[in-house]
Amino acid sequence: DQQVKQNSPSLSVQEGRISILNCDYTNSMFDYFLWYKKYPAEGPTFLISISSIKDKNEDGRFTVFLNKSAKHLSLHIVPSQPGDSAVYFCAARDSGTYKYIFGTGTRLKVLA
Amino acid sequence: DARVTQTPRDKVTEMGQEVTMRCQPILGHNTVFWYRQTMMQGLELLAYFRNRAPLDDSGMPKDRFSAEMPDATLATLKIQPSEPRDSAVYFCASGTTLNTEAFFGQGTRLTVV
């Protein structure tokens, strides 16, 4: 069973507009939620995280929102830039084991 | 420049051969993860270690996969015998329980023909 789900395999956005990537989870034992960005032929790189006790975390153009009642989080990128084109993985850290469970990824394409 | 180092970057092998992938975690990190990237499953957790002890390898096919940490600077993932369905990119990541995030290596792209 997939504990972390990214239901949109791909997303295309115009440069300068907002990109919204979504993620759903089923386990309430996660203490942190993270977003990673992955370029082809490279490893995933950490982008931003949020504690399960928060509902928003912002870092420059990137903001992550957490809705615990809906078990849903989203990553907002504004304004989107062509260099943001990559695969974005949502991940959750288990509070007991500290292991990270990843979603299947969303491929973002920012059109110039 | 602290980074997770994986070798080899690319490996092509024939079905039935043994494959060993290596990972050097970031110095001071006490947790090491092995992930496999597939189109359908995204990043699957295969196994992970804390302080060199295996904590969970339930994601690995037990009959052919094995993971070890001979010392704090080396983690290995071995497949014997390899099969075409093992073709994927394998990532190693390291972290600590004090930090939020784990850091990934560049991956090993395995092709079994």
Side-chain angles (χ1 to χ4, degrees):
Chain A
D1 64 332
Q2 196 80 15
Q3 296 185 60
V4 177
K5 298 179 184 180
Q6 295 177 256
N7 293 317
S8 298
S10 63
L11 174 69
S12 290
V13 172
Q14 287 290 331
E15 181 180 7
R17 304 296 292 269
I18 185 170
S19 296
I20 301 176
L21 295 94
N22 294 301
C23 178
D24 297 296
Y25 62 96
T26 58
N27 189 335
S28 298
M29 296 303 293
F30 295 135
D31 63 350
Y32 278 92
F33 299 90
L34 306 89
W35 286 94
Y36 281 78
K37 180 166 73 172
K38 185 184 179 305
Y39 292 120
E42 294 184 11
T45 55
F46 170 72
L47 190 58
I48 191 170
S49 66
I50 187 168
S51 164
S52 62
I53 63 173
K54 306 278 189 184
D55 54 22
K56 178 182 175 181
N57 187 27
E58 190 172 352
D59 184 2
R61 296 186 297 115
F62 303 92
T63 304
V64 57
F65 295 92
L66 176 61
N67 182 333
K68 286 183 285 295
S69 61
K71 291 189 169 63
H72 177 84
L73 66 153
S74 59
L75 174 67
H76 293 209
I77 306 172
V78 56
S80 301
Q81 299 173 354
D84 296 329
S85 297
V87 176
Y88 288 78
F89 287 99
C90 170
R93 191 178 80 167
D94 186 288
S95 60
T97 63
Y98 291 95
K99 66 182 181 181
Y100 299 86
I101 308 299
F102 282 79
T104 51
T106 296
R107 182 178 301 278
L108 173 67
K109 182 181 286 189
V110 180
L111 307 170
Chain B
D1 181 25
R3 67 176 78 179
V4 176
T5 303
Q6 290 186 247
T7 56
R9 288 295 310 275
D10 284 279
K11 176 72 176 179
V12 180
T13 191
E14 291 185 348
M15 182 173 61
Q17 295 297 306
E18 177 179 297
V19 175
T20 299
M21 290 169 269
R22 294 176 173 80
C23 168
Q24 180 177 2
I26 292 173
L27 188 65
H29 283 188
N30 65 344
T31 308
V32 175
F33 306 87
W34 282 105
Y35 287 90
R36 175 170 63 182
Q37 184 183 10
T38 64
M39 291 297 291
M40 296 301 294
Q41 299 291 333
L43 287 167
E44 297 177 84
L45 178 63
L46 299 176
Y48 78 108
F49 297 79
R50 179 159 302 121
N51 298 322
R52 295 177 55 203
L55 292 188
D56 185 351
D57 62 0
S58 60
M60 290 199 312
K62 295 292 189 303
D63 55 338
R64 299 184 298 107
F65 284 59
S66 61
E68 295 179 348
M69 274 202 79
D71 62 61
T73 65
L74 176 65
T76 62
L77 180 65
K78 188 176 295 187
I79 308 174
Q80 167 64 19
S82 57
E83 297 181 359
R85 61 180 166 152
D86 301 328
S87 298
V89 181
Y90 291 81
F91 289 103
C92 174
S94 72
T96 75
T97 52
L98 298 177
N99 292 335
T100 306
E101 71 270 26
F103 297 82
F104 281 77
Q106 301 267 54
T108 294
R109 178 177 297 277
L110 174 65
T111 304
V112 184
V113 298

